[in-house]
mmCIF file of all heavy atoms in Angstrom:
data_model
loop_
_atom_site.group_PDB
_atom_site.id
_atom_site.type_symbol
_atom_site.label_atom_id
_atom_site.label_comp_id
_atom_site.label_asym_id
_atom_site.label_seq_id
_atom_site.Cartn_x
_atom_site.Cartn_y
_atom_site.Cartn_z
ATOM 1 N N ARG A 226 3.691 47.970 4.528
ATOM 2 C CA ARG A 226 3.249 47.773 3.220
ATOM 3 C C ARG A 226 1.864 48.310 2.968
ATOM 4 O O ARG A 226 1.085 48.162 3.926
ATOM 5 C CB ARG A 226 3.406 46.316 2.634
ATOM 6 C CG ARG A 226 2.625 45.277 3.534
ATOM 7 C CD ARG A 226 2.892 43.869 3.116
ATOM 8 N NE ARG A 226 2.165 42.970 3.934
ATOM 9 C CZ ARG A 226 2.244 41.675 3.791
ATOM 10 N NH1 ARG A 226 2.894 41.159 2.848
ATOM 11 N NH2 ARG A 226 1.635 40.862 4.678
ATOM 12 N N THR A 227 1.639 48.807 1.772
ATOM 13 C CA THR A 227 0.292 49.287 1.461
ATOM 14 C C THR A 227 -0.486 48.186 0.681
ATOM 15 O O THR A 227 -1.670 48.135 0.658
ATOM 16 C CB THR A 227 0.258 50.509 0.639
ATOM 17 O OG1 THR A 227 1.052 50.195 -0.596
ATOM 18 C CG2 THR A 227 0.891 51.714 1.344
ATOM 19 N N HIS A 228 0.272 47.272 0.027
ATOM 20 C CA HIS A 228 -0.234 46.236 -0.892
ATOM 21 C C HIS A 228 0.537 45.058 -0.781
ATOM 22 O O HIS A 228 1.684 45.124 -0.307
ATOM 23 C CB HIS A 228 -0.294 46.754 -2.366
ATOM 24 C CG HIS A 228 -1.251 47.910 -2.609
ATOM 25 N ND1 HIS A 228 -0.878 49.146 -2.380
ATOM 26 C CD2 HIS A 228 -2.498 47.865 -3.133
ATOM 27 C CE1 HIS A 228 -1.861 50.009 -2.633
ATOM 28 N NE2 HIS A 228 -2.904 49.164 -3.037
ATOM 29 N N THR A 229 0.092 43.915 -1.242
ATOM 30 C CA THR A 229 0.908 42.743 -1.297
ATOM 31 C C THR A 229 1.547 42.688 -2.638
ATOM 32 O O THR A 229 1.206 43.464 -3.598
ATOM 33 C CB THR A 229 -0.012 41.540 -1.068
ATOM 34 O OG1 THR A 229 -0.851 41.292 -2.315
ATOM 35 C CG2 THR A 229 -0.850 41.501 0.056
ATOM 36 N N CYS A 230 2.353 41.620 -2.880
ATOM 37 C CA CYS A 230 3.124 41.612 -4.141
ATOM 38 C C CYS A 230 2.239 40.728 -5.218
ATOM 39 O O CYS A 230 2.741 40.597 -6.392
ATOM 40 C CB CYS A 230 4.437 40.794 -4.009
ATOM 41 S SG CYS A 230 5.656 41.609 -2.956
ATOM 42 N N GLY A 231 0.973 40.520 -4.910
ATOM 43 C CA GLY A 231 0.176 39.861 -5.938
ATOM 44 C C GLY A 231 -0.935 40.645 -6.373
ATOM 45 O O GLY A 231 -1.945 40.216 -7.109
ATOM 46 N N GLU A 232 -1.068 41.919 -5.912
ATOM 47 C CA GLU A 232 -2.226 42.776 -6.019
ATOM 48 C C GLU A 232 -2.393 43.805 -7.114
ATOM 49 O O GLU A 232 -3.493 44.184 -7.558
ATOM 50 C CB GLU A 232 -2.303 43.462 -4.628
ATOM 51 C CG GLU A 232 -3.670 43.585 -4.070
ATOM 52 C CD GLU A 232 -3.576 44.256 -2.701
ATOM 53 O OE1 GLU A 232 -2.514 44.218 -1.896
ATOM 54 O OE2 GLU A 232 -4.565 44.939 -2.343
ATOM 55 N N LEU A 233 -1.285 44.347 -7.447
ATOM 56 C CA LEU A 233 -1.296 45.535 -8.285
ATOM 57 C C LEU A 233 -1.520 45.226 -9.776
ATOM 58 O O LEU A 233 -1.041 44.227 -10.348
ATOM 59 C CB LEU A 233 0.010 46.272 -8.130
ATOM 60 C CG LEU A 233 0.321 46.822 -6.733
ATOM 61 C CD1 LEU A 233 1.586 47.402 -6.508
ATOM 62 C CD2 LEU A 233 -0.837 47.907 -6.252
ATOM 63 N N ARG A 234 -2.383 46.055 -10.360
ATOM 64 C CA ARG A 234 -2.802 45.925 -11.807
ATOM 65 C C ARG A 234 -2.742 47.225 -12.502
ATOM 66 O O ARG A 234 -2.465 48.266 -11.766
ATOM 67 C CB ARG A 234 -4.224 45.429 -11.809
ATOM 68 C CG ARG A 234 -4.638 44.129 -11.124
ATOM 69 C CD ARG A 234 -4.068 42.947 -11.929
ATOM 70 N NE ARG A 234 -4.470 41.595 -11.178
ATOM 71 C CZ ARG A 234 -3.813 40.995 -10.191
ATOM 72 N NH1 ARG A 234 -2.740 41.600 -9.714
ATOM 73 N NH2 ARG A 234 -4.302 39.925 -9.716
ATOM 74 N N LEU A 235 -2.979 47.274 -13.777
ATOM 75 C CA LEU A 235 -3.078 48.530 -14.501
ATOM 76 C C LEU A 235 -3.861 49.545 -13.907
ATOM 77 O O LEU A 235 -3.565 50.829 -13.996
ATOM 78 C CB LEU A 235 -3.428 48.248 -15.941
ATOM 79 C CG LEU A 235 -2.381 48.202 -17.031
ATOM 80 C CD1 LEU A 235 -3.001 48.063 -18.478
ATOM 81 C CD2 LEU A 235 -1.510 49.256 -16.909
ATOM 82 N N GLN A 236 -4.987 49.202 -13.357
ATOM 83 C CA GLN A 236 -5.964 50.096 -12.688
ATOM 84 C C GLN A 236 -5.282 50.857 -11.592
ATOM 85 O O GLN A 236 -5.750 52.009 -11.141
ATOM 86 C CB GLN A 236 -7.183 49.456 -12.285
ATOM 87 C CG GLN A 236 -6.974 48.786 -10.825
ATOM 88 C CD GLN A 236 -7.979 47.680 -10.470
ATOM 89 O OE1 GLN A 236 -8.194 46.777 -11.365
ATOM 90 N NE2 GLN A 236 -8.656 47.820 -9.394
ATOM 91 N N HIS A 237 -4.168 50.507 -11.060
ATOM 92 C CA HIS A 237 -3.389 51.188 -10.027
ATOM 93 C C HIS A 237 -2.430 52.160 -10.540
ATOM 94 O O HIS A 237 -1.676 52.748 -9.763
ATOM 95 C CB HIS A 237 -2.700 50.141 -9.091
ATOM 96 C CG HIS A 237 -3.639 49.294 -8.273
ATOM 97 N ND1 HIS A 237 -3.907 47.996 -8.720
ATOM 98 C CD2 HIS A 237 -4.370 49.392 -7.195
ATOM 99 C CE1 HIS A 237 -4.682 47.355 -7.861
ATOM 100 N NE2 HIS A 237 -5.025 48.277 -6.905
ATOM 101 N N LYS A 238 -2.323 52.250 -11.863
ATOM 102 C CA LYS A 238 -1.310 53.022 -12.502
ATOM 103 C C LYS A 238 -1.236 54.460 -11.875
ATOM 104 O O LYS A 238 -2.297 55.118 -11.626
ATOM 105 C CB LYS A 238 -1.595 53.220 -13.949
ATOM 106 C CG LYS A 238 -0.498 53.729 -14.827
ATOM 107 C CD LYS A 238 -0.919 53.495 -16.299
ATOM 108 C CE LYS A 238 -0.324 54.610 -17.237
ATOM 109 N NZ LYS A 238 -0.666 54.438 -18.553
ATOM 110 N N GLY A 239 -0.069 54.994 -11.523
ATOM 111 C CA GLY A 239 0.007 56.287 -10.951
ATOM 112 C C GLY A 239 -0.067 56.333 -9.385
ATOM 113 O O GLY A 239 0.274 57.278 -8.736
ATOM 114 N N THR A 240 -0.457 55.230 -8.740
ATOM 115 C CA THR A 240 -0.697 55.244 -7.299
ATOM 116 C C THR A 240 0.736 55.041 -6.681
ATOM 117 O O THR A 240 1.636 54.242 -7.198
ATOM 118 C CB THR A 240 -1.516 53.960 -6.914
ATOM 119 O OG1 THR A 240 -2.547 53.814 -7.727
ATOM 120 C CG2 THR A 240 -1.989 54.014 -5.432
ATOM 121 N N GLY A 241 0.977 55.762 -5.539
ATOM 122 C CA GLY A 241 2.121 55.463 -4.790
ATOM 123 C C GLY A 241 1.997 54.355 -3.848
ATOM 124 O O GLY A 241 0.822 54.290 -3.115
ATOM 125 N N VAL A 242 2.820 53.406 -3.873
ATOM 126 C CA VAL A 242 2.649 52.160 -2.948
ATOM 127 C C VAL A 242 3.869 51.818 -2.237
ATOM 128 O O VAL A 242 4.997 52.244 -2.718
ATOM 129 C CB VAL A 242 2.197 51.029 -3.831
ATOM 130 C CG1 VAL A 242 0.883 51.147 -4.589
ATOM 131 C CG2 VAL A 242 3.264 50.642 -4.823
#
Side-chain angles (χ1 to χ4, degrees):
R226 55 182 176 184
T227 56
H228 294 81
T229 70
C230 296
E232 218 179 328
L233 298 171
R234 302 286 185 275
L235 259 189
Q236 80 201 56
H237 297 98
K238 196 170 147 182
T240 319
V242 298

